[in-house]
Amino acid sequence: MTVKEWTTGVIKQAEIDRYLAGGKDFIDEAGIERELARQRQPDAGRVREILQKSLEIKTLSPAETAALLNVEDPALLEEMQETARAVKRKVYDNRIVFFAPLYLSNLCVNNCLYCGFREENKEETRHALSMEEVKRETAAVIDEGHKRVIAVYGEHPRSDADYIVDSLAAIYSVKRETPSGKGFNNIRRVNVNAAPMDIASLDKLRRAGIGTYQVFQETYHRGRYAELHAPASIKGNYRWRLYAVHRAMEAGIDDVAIGALFGLHDWRFEVMGLLHHALDLERQFGVGPHTVSFPRMQPARGSIVSERSPYLVDDESARRLVTAIRLAIPCSGLIVTARERPSARRELLHLGCTQTDASTRLGIGAYARGLKQEENADKVQFTLGDQRSLDEVVRELAEDGVITSFCTAGYRCGRTGERIMTMLEKGVEGKYCKLNAVLTFREFLNDYASPATREAGERLIEREIREIEADAFFSGRGLLPLFSSYRERLEQGERDLYM
Ligand code: SAM
Ligand code: SF4
């Protein structure tokens, strides 16, 4: 089959139409703009009522979110940020989950004007990793101390669903002895960021053990979407993408992730788009997105749009948009990535984010070869703002009182989808996460941390253990003896113990 023939067969119209409501999408541009205009200059009393609703861990309505997006008063903005931090603490406590992105292929049939992988970018050298190369990349990621990855693929017949299935098996198959020779390390959860697929392909991914399936809409604004994506390309089909994670839910992948590429259109509009997306998932499947991402567009080789878009988001607006998302969708995880400069990443993390990456290398095959982005600029998608190692970022967070978690237990204990979201809402899942954060952070400190990181980490772990021992939730359920026996077994060299 030629690439063109493959491309023509991807979109299944019936797998779009079944999600429409009365022939319409859940994104109504005029409606969003009307709502944003109607909520200009919200009064402080109403804003405080909305903040109270967030604190009760309830998803906000579009009108409420539009009001928050329109707040300009610095004191009120500060109150919103305080509340965002409180919401995060209530649902996720002081934990950040770490992952590494693993780029497997930069072949792509699309031509998104902001992306270095786009087909017409002749400056890019193309490669799809062989399964042996995937294993070598995985080994290098594991040797940094990582335990979860997000595998990333361009859209191409050479990186189709079968390739993704094979690569998941390759990643899960790698097991490495730790540097001390005591214990082992491996990747325990593989999330996937790949182009929209049909339900049958998504079902294959589910059976192969995919963690979360992530697709970013890029922009929710149809007019802007059409300017950036050639209409005849697969990606040019706005609706095929809009329902990508609906199809994943239908295929039984119940942890799905949404996002928008901030910088392509007005940031307030995009936040509203994300909210409507979350609400439609709740409406059709009873559960919202597992995570929400808000990557800020970074310079990409061969892309003028990536540097000159009129909608690029400055740091102040980035803080406002992250605060608004945290408040509007309080149960979902929020991901901030190494696209951000270290100072911006740190600030955004503290506004209620729950996941981040570190020691990130975007080049295809760059982990195994130890290449920084400057050294393989022809194989990266865009420029990273933060190339620090996992050890450095973990230490910075530990010094800020934030515990690193590599926990992947929820997924393996069946705490996913609606079940995990309800548990998060009730504050129960967070309790188990607290135990698993300590266990997985312990593994990292024993196996990979530098002396300075270990010192900061030990102080934090001791504090966490004191909190756990004083909390009636744990003693009341008899969880403490098991927890302490797991800690002892980790010291003896056992690994991957979770509750
Ligand atoms: N090809 C798949 C797709 O389009 O869904 C995988 C996505 S791509 C490799 C991962 C994400 O990177 C895109 O969805 C987009 O949001 C983001 N991205 C593309 N260009 C970017 C840029 N210049 N700066 C930051 N993020 C970018
Ligand atoms: Fe291809 Fe995805 Fe990049 Fe678009 S964003 S060019 S689909 S890799």
Side-chain angles (χ1 to χ4, degrees):
M1 195 192 297
T2 64
V3 172
K4 196 153 191 273
E5 282 162 357
W6 179 86
T7 306
T8 336
V10 171
I11 296 176
K12 312 274 188 305
Q13 190 59 40
E15 295 190 12
I16 296 176
D17 295 343
R18 63 203 290 159
Y19 305 112
L20 304 181
K24 290 205 175 118
D25 296 317
F26 59 84
I27 295 290
D28 161 16
E29 274 96 342
I32 291 179
E33 270 148 20
R34 253 195 325 274
E35 200 69 81
L36 282 167
R38 216 176 6 232
Q39 301 296 332
R40 279 225 174 102
Q41 298 175 328
D43 75 73
R46 173 160 149 74
V47 170
R48 292 197 179 105
E49 273 169 31
I50 299 170
L51 295 183
Q52 200 45 47
K53 182 170 171 191
S54 292
L55 275 173
E56 287 161 24
I57 317 302
K58 295 197 176 118
T59 308
L60 299 184
S61 70
E64 289 160 343
T65 305
L68 295 186
L69 289 167
N70 276 311
V71 170
E72 296 292 341
D73 171 30
L76 206 47
L77 283 170
E78 184 49 47
E79 262 180 63
M80 282 168 56
Q81 294 189 358
E82 247 337 290
T83 313
R85 290 186 198 103
V87 167
K88 151 84 198 288
R89 270 196 304 276
K90 203 164 173 185
V91 184
Y92 292 94
D93 203 357
N94 60 337
R95 288 181 298 279
I96 295 284
V97 167
F98 272 81
F99 64 92
L102 186 51
Y103 277 69
L104 277 79
S105 163
N106 61 353
L107 280 99
C108 194
V109 295
N110 297 306
N111 200 40
C112 313
L113 294 184
Y114 43 83
C115 178
F117 290 176
R118 70 195 172 85
E119 188 185 28
E120 286 176 16
N121 183 10
K122 300 299 172 222
E123 296 177 42
E124 190 83 1
T125 309
R126 310 287 169 168
H127 184 59
L129 295 179
S130 68
M131 290 309 134
E132 273 318 303
E133 289 170 322
V134 172
K135 288 182 192 167
R136 280 204 289 278
E137 281 297 273
T138 307
V141 169
I142 293 173
D143 289 347
E144 291 277 342
H146 281 291
K147 305 181 197 305
R148 61 159 86 193
V149 298
I150 180 147
V152 187
Y153 311 77
E155 182 164 29
H156 195 274
R158 281 180 54 198
S159 57
D160 63 3
D162 293 327
Y163 175 89
I164 298 178
V165 165
D166 292 346
S167 59
L168 293 183
I171 297 169
Y172 282 127
S173 74
V174 181
K175 203 165 178 178
R176 302 279 289 177
E177 197 173 87
T178 60
S180 61
K182 207 172 178 191
F184 69 91
N185 194 20
N186 62 333
I187 298 298
R188 302 161 190 178
R189 177 171 173 123
V190 186
N191 299 332
V192 168
N193 180 314
M197 283 168 234
D198 60 18
I199 296 171
S201 303
L202 289 160
D203 187 51
K204 285 187 191 173
L205 266 48
R206 182 186 58 77
R207 283 184 277 124
I210 186 178
T212 305
Y213 175 59
Q214 179 185 62
V215 177
F216 302 155
Q217 184 60 26
E218 320 298 13
T219 173
Y220 285 93
H221 190 273
R222 284 184 190 73
R224 193 65 181 134
Y225 193 93
E227 285 167 23
L228 296 160
H229 306 102
S233 65
I234 306 177
K235 186 122 170 197
N237 190 321
Y238 174 94
R239 281 183 164 174
W240 179 242
R241 200 165 182 87
L242 197 61
Y243 298 102
V245 300
H246 286 63
R247 290 192 292 278
M249 288 266 195
E250 189 134 356
I253 301 174
D254 52 5
D255 278 353
V256 299
I258 61 172
L261 182 54
F262 280 83
L264 297 178
H265 188 59
D266 173 59
W267 61 267
R268 291 183 182 82
F269 183 94
E270 303 295 16
V271 173
M272 295 295 285
L274 288 167
L275 174 72
H276 280 284
H277 204 161
L279 290 173
D280 201 63
L281 290 169
E282 278 181 24
R283 184 180 68 80
Q284 301 211 35
F285 301 97
V287 54
H290 188 63
T291 59
V292 179
S293 293
F294 35 82
R296 268 199 286 183
M297 186 160 56
Q298 305 297 315
R301 254 163 67 120
S303 159
I304 296 170
V305 172
S306 68
E307 296 189 63
R308 302 228 191 109
S309 165
Y311 299 102
L312 293 178
V313 176
D314 61 21
D315 287 349
E316 168 62 15
S317 309
R319 284 191 289 275
R320 290 178 59 180
L321 77 87
V322 173
T323 304
I325 299 173
R326 175 69 299 155
L327 294 167
I329 316 176
C331 265
S332 294
L334 297 190
I335 303 181
V336 59
T337 68
R339 287 176 178 85
E340 301 292 341
R341 305 177 325 277
S343 56
R345 174 193 344 216
R346 188 177 184 188
E347 253 186 354
L348 298 179
L349 262 172
H350 288 295
L351 286 175
C353 293
T354 59
Q355 290 194 27
T356 198
D357 55 332
S359 62
T360 302
R361 297 181 197 271
L362 297 189
I364 309 295
Y367 286 103
R369 292 163 63 215
L371 297 177
K372 294 274 181 195
Q373 60 188 354
E374 313 70 75
E375 297 165 313
N376 66 351
D378 63 328
K379 288 210 195 85
V380 301
Q381 195 194 1
F382 51 80
T383 317
L384 285 176
D386 188 352
Q387 296 195 71
R388 285 177 300 163
S389 68
L390 177 60
D391 183 76
E392 282 170 278
V393 185
V394 166
R395 178 164 67 244
E396 179 182 275
L397 287 180
E399 284 164 354
D400 288 347
V402 174
I403 186 168
T404 289
S405 174
F406 295 97
C407 169
T408 50
Y411 158 72
R412 290 182 289 165
C413 297
R415 298 198 293 265
T416 59
E418 192 173 353
R419 183 143 179 255
I420 195 171
M421 291 324 237
T422 315
M423 286 173 86
L424 281 168
E425 219 172 284
K426 295 190 176 142
V428 177
E429 176 63 11
K431 297 283 188 190
Y432 284 94
C433 296
K434 195 170 176 75
L435 303 176
N436 290 317
V438 169
L439 296 174
T440 55
F441 193 39
R442 181 75 270 159
E443 284 192 40
F444 179 80
L445 291 182
N446 285 7
D447 297 337
Y448 297 98
S450 63
T453 303
R454 195 167 302 142
E455 200 187 312
E458 294 294 352
R459 279 196 301 273
L460 191 56
I461 275 206
E462 270 172 37
R463 204 181 75 195
E464 292 293 308
I465 293 173
R466 276 199 303 275
E467 281 178 20
I468 289 169
E469 287 175 347
D471 188 332
F473 177 91
F474 300 112
S475 44
R477 285 173 175 71
L479 292 168
L480 292 177
L482 185 63
F483 177 58
S484 89
S485 84
Y486 276 6
R487 281 170 41 225
E488 271 163 37
R489 285 165 60 185
L490 285 176
E491 294 310 319
Q492 303 311 316
E494 272 189 72
R495 292 291 175 264
D496 200 14
L497 301 169
Y498 55 88
M499 310 191 52

